[in-house]
Amino acid sequence: MDALMTPTLEISRTRFLQNLAAVQDRIAPAQLMLAMKDDAYGHGVEWAASAAVGAAQPVDSFGGYDVHTSLRIREQTGRATVFAWADSSDDEIEQALAVGIELGVGASDYLRRVIEMSGRLRITARIHLKIDTGLHRNGIRPEDWPRVIADAMAAQRAGLIEVVGVWSHLAEASDAEDDEAAREFRSAVDVLRAAGGTPRALHLTASAASWWRPELRGTVCRIGAFCYGIRSADGPEIPGITPIAALRARVIEERGDDVLIGVGALHGLPSTLAGAMIGTPGGVREIVRIDATSTLVRGWSGARVGEPTTVFGPGEQGESDATRLAERIGTVGEEIVTRLTAGVRRVIGD
Ligand SMILES: *Cc1c(COP(=O)(O)O)cnc(C)c1O
């Protein structure tokens, strides 16, 4: 397909900065940790990290998930805090410690590996210990917590690590369960403090709980979706938060009453989106079928090859956002954007 016909994800830096400011205002005095996993939810780490550190109210804390993404963030952000919470290989731990990336630690054997590496490198590792508050994924079980804290404090006294944070992840299934998780979280922090710890970063909440449940915020909120303008599926619109990305594809062929547009399943568009409405120069039109590299759309009179359409996102044609498409097929907006492959050109504009 020639370059003009390549589908594009048009991203607005201005809207991204507006979302960051809206989130920062909402959660203050808690601090924003901008979550950037999956290449900044498909939007691209590099421009987003550099825009965030350059914001009027600069973002100075980033969540990279894995060490690879965290290193990319570090390149763009100089002295900002960068947090990597994936269980990492020894090579990755070494790379992270060498550039001061802070590590999330949710298991005692991982703690041991981090301590060994910091001893080997003679670099004090800054770590955030994860308490399992009920999700049973990764995290130190409450019954193991006192023993792990004792080990961690011994390593801290030896100068090998510094426990700078405590964190967990909420299920967000019900307020009652989240309240219970928050109680578990606070008692874990109490145990650490009683053992002599002085964590500065206490973080439990992501987008939705950070926004709607102020009493659950700690000193830091890890937020991705809302910063990229992705609201919760089946959740309300968020005042001050707008989608930052629009997926545009051009008409590549006329097919009788219908047209083919140049984006398809191989670009990451779920084929289950058939039936969804997209924006066209002729108004809103229905997706009939999604094929490998193209999508069949109900035509409009005078449709011409090369005309742009908007599959989702802001545009003059006033249609859907990624979350609305996601809701159609029972998923979340993040999924729609992060699935888009490298075959979709990212264009960062104002
Ligand atoms: C992705 C992620 C977040 C951010 O969640 P959003 O709902 O996108 O704000 C926070 N914490 C962890 C551990 C995550 O993996």
Side-chain angles (χ1 to χ4, degrees):
M1 212 183 293
D2 80 54
L4 190 68
M5 294 301 206
T6 304
T8 56
L9 189 68
E10 288 177 15
I11 298 166
S12 164
R13 185 186 272 105
T14 303
R15 283 169 174 254
F16 176 59
L17 291 172
Q18 286 166 348
N19 290 344
L20 291 180
V23 165
Q24 288 168 317
D25 287 351
R26 178 81 177 190
I27 66 173
Q31 191 195 12
L32 168 64
M33 178 189 285
L34 176 61
M36 305 202 95
K37 60 174 178 258
D38 295 321
D39 199 22
Y41 294 43
H43 297 82
V45 159
E46 277 72 19
W47 75 270
S50 105
V53 281
Q57 198 181 326
V59 175
D60 56 11
S61 177
F62 295 82
Y65 176 61
D66 53 20
V67 169
H68 173 73
T69 303
S70 300
L71 289 168
R72 289 168 62 199
I73 298 169
R74 166 60 78 234
E75 288 271 299
Q76 303 295 322
T77 61
R79 299 169 49 82
T81 296
V82 183
F83 177 57
W85 65 90
D87 269 3
S88 302
S89 69
D90 288 348
D91 278 352
E92 289 167 329
I93 294 171
E94 176 168 358
Q95 287 179 293
L97 297 189
V99 296
I101 288 170
E102 301 184 357
L103 296 172
V105 174
S108 52
D109 56 330
Y110 190 55
L111 176 62
R112 185 163 4 89
R113 285 170 48 216
V114 171
I115 290 171
E116 275 170 19
M117 186 58 74
S118 61
R120 183 126 54 89
L121 300 177
R122 298 174 187 278
I123 295 173
T124 303
R126 288 195 296 273
I127 69 164
H128 303 230
L129 287 172
K130 183 177 189 188
I131 175 79
D132 180 353
T133 52
L135 269 184
H136 306 314
R137 274 195 232 142
N138 166 279
I140 296 154
R141 296 298 197 91
E143 61 270 28
D144 298 332
W145 184 257
R147 183 179 52 77
V148 175
I149 291 297
D151 291 349
M153 288 295 98
Q156 179 162 310
R157 283 189 297 273
L160 294 165
I161 64 169
E162 186 186 350
V163 180
V164 296
V166 178
W167 68 293
S168 190
H169 200 65
L170 287 176
E172 293 191 353
S174 73
D175 283 359
E177 279 171 80
D178 290 349
D179 289 340
E180 182 52 39
R183 269 192 294 279
E184 193 75 75
F185 184 77
R186 286 186 205 106
S187 72
V189 174
D190 289 344
V191 169
L192 173 60
R193 288 197 171 124
T198 52
R200 60 171 160 73
L202 306 176
H203 43 120
L204 182 61
T205 56
S207 286
S210 298
W211 193 274
W212 300 113
R213 309 267 344 253
E215 67 281 14
L216 301 187
R217 286 177 209 140
T219 61
V220 173
C221 300
R222 301 181 309 266
I223 300 183
F226 286 10
C227 295
Y228 306 104
I230 300 168
R231 68 186 161 80
S232 311
D234 303 313
E237 299 286 337
I238 311 293
I241 300 292
T242 56
I244 70 167
L247 177 61
R248 318 254 194 233
R250 290 181 188 272
V251 175
I252 55 171
E253 197 183 312
E254 296 163 60
R255 282 269 178 100
D257 289 340
D258 297 334
V259 297
L260 282 182
I261 61 170
V263 66
L266 291 180
H267 297 104
L269 209 58
S271 53
T272 45
L273 282 178
M277 307 303 278
I278 70 167
T280 78
V284 173
R285 289 291 183 278
E286 186 183 353
I287 293 179
V288 179
R289 193 179 70 234
I290 296 171
D291 296 321
T293 57
S294 64
T295 290
L296 188 66
V297 174
R298 282 269 173 270
W300 54 96
S301 66
R304 287 189 319 275
V305 168
E307 281 189 295
T309 68
T310 301
V311 180
F312 65 76
E316 292 115 61
Q317 301 146 357
E319 52 303 307
S320 198
D321 60 29
T323 304
R324 204 156 312 150
L325 283 188
E327 285 165 349
R328 261 194 88 80
I329 57 170
T331 181
V332 293
E334 294 87 314
E335 178 79 12
I336 300 285
V337 188
T338 55
R339 273 182 57 134
L340 296 175
T341 66
V344 176
R345 196 154 50 97
R346 270 63 172 178
V347 179
I348 318 303
D350 289 340

XYZ file of all heavy atoms in Angstrom, residues 35 37 41 85 167 169 206-207 222-225 334, ligand 1:
127
model
N 1.596 5.666 33.854
C 1.819 4.286 33.413
C 2.034 4.273 31.897
O 1.276 4.874 31.145
C 0.630 3.401 33.794
N 3.108 1.206 30.086
C 3.342 -0.151 29.566
C 2.765 -0.287 28.155
O 1.971 0.550 27.717
C 2.741 -1.183 30.511
C 1.252 -1.051 30.709
C 0.744 -2.229 31.548
C -0.735 -2.088 31.805
N -1.037 -1.591 33.144
N 0.530 2.400 25.977
C -0.805 1.968 25.536
C -0.968 2.157 24.030
O -2.029 2.555 23.545
C -1.905 2.734 26.284
C -1.992 2.453 27.785
C -0.854 2.367 28.566
C -3.218 2.278 28.412
C -0.940 2.111 29.926
C -3.314 2.024 29.775
C -2.162 1.951 30.521
O -2.239 1.699 31.879
N 7.940 -2.840 37.458
C 7.399 -3.794 38.415
C 7.308 -5.225 37.884
O 6.879 -6.118 38.599
C 6.057 -3.308 38.953
C 4.949 -3.211 37.956
C 4.072 -4.210 37.650
C 4.576 -2.073 37.172
N 3.177 -3.754 36.710
C 3.460 -2.435 36.403
C 5.074 -0.782 37.039
C 2.841 -1.578 35.504
C 4.456 0.090 36.150
C 3.362 -0.312 35.407
N 3.340 -0.868 47.563
C 2.287 -0.754 46.557
C 1.473 -2.027 46.470
O 1.855 -3.072 46.995
C 2.906 -0.413 45.195
C 3.745 -1.497 44.572
C 4.940 -1.970 45.041
C 3.437 -2.236 43.390
N 5.402 -2.953 44.206
C 4.499 -3.142 43.177
C 2.386 -2.214 42.478
C 4.527 -4.025 42.103
C 2.417 -3.087 41.397
C 3.476 -3.982 41.220
N -2.243 -3.635 43.948
C -3.131 -3.425 42.807
C -4.541 -3.782 43.262
O -4.734 -4.796 43.913
C -2.681 -4.337 41.653
C -3.167 -3.902 40.314
N -2.776 -2.718 39.731
C -4.021 -4.483 39.445
C -3.360 -2.604 38.543
N -4.128 -3.655 38.346
N -5.178 2.780 40.360
C -4.998 3.123 38.952
C -6.071 4.158 38.575
O -6.634 4.811 39.454
C -5.076 1.865 38.102
N -6.358 4.287 37.266
C -7.216 5.387 36.812
C -8.519 5.540 37.599
O -8.777 6.582 38.211
C -7.580 5.209 35.329
O -6.481 5.516 34.503
N -0.848 5.431 40.245
C -0.346 4.920 38.950
C -1.478 4.999 37.934
O -2.457 4.264 38.040
C 0.087 3.448 39.080
C 1.169 3.169 40.110
C 1.518 1.678 40.112
N 0.346 0.840 40.226
C -0.137 0.370 41.368
N 0.471 0.628 42.509
N -1.220 -0.381 41.376
N -1.346 5.878 36.969
C -2.466 6.120 36.057
C -1.996 6.065 34.615
O -1.032 6.729 34.231
C -3.117 7.488 36.358
C -3.623 7.493 37.809
C -4.261 7.781 35.382
C -4.350 8.735 38.228
N -2.685 5.240 33.831
C -2.418 5.177 32.400
C -3.635 5.637 31.622
O -3.675 6.716 31.046
N -4.669 4.786 31.627
C -5.820 4.954 30.733
C -6.337 6.394 30.656
O -6.460 6.952 29.548
C -6.941 4.012 31.175
N -8.285 0.316 26.083
C -6.840 0.076 26.000
C -6.538 -0.997 24.961
O -5.565 -0.928 24.225
C -6.288 -0.436 27.341
C -6.323 0.502 28.495
C -7.628 0.457 29.269
O -8.702 0.463 28.631
O -7.573 0.445 30.506
C -1.576 -0.723 33.814
C -1.377 -0.536 35.259
C -1.799 0.637 35.888
C -2.568 1.723 35.180
O -3.917 1.337 35.039
P -4.944 2.289 34.277
O -6.277 1.693 34.594
O -4.597 2.247 32.843
O -4.795 3.642 34.846
C -1.528 0.771 37.241
N -0.865 -0.184 37.926
C -0.469 -1.330 37.360
C 0.238 -2.336 38.183
C -0.707 -1.546 36.011
O -0.300 -2.681 35.450
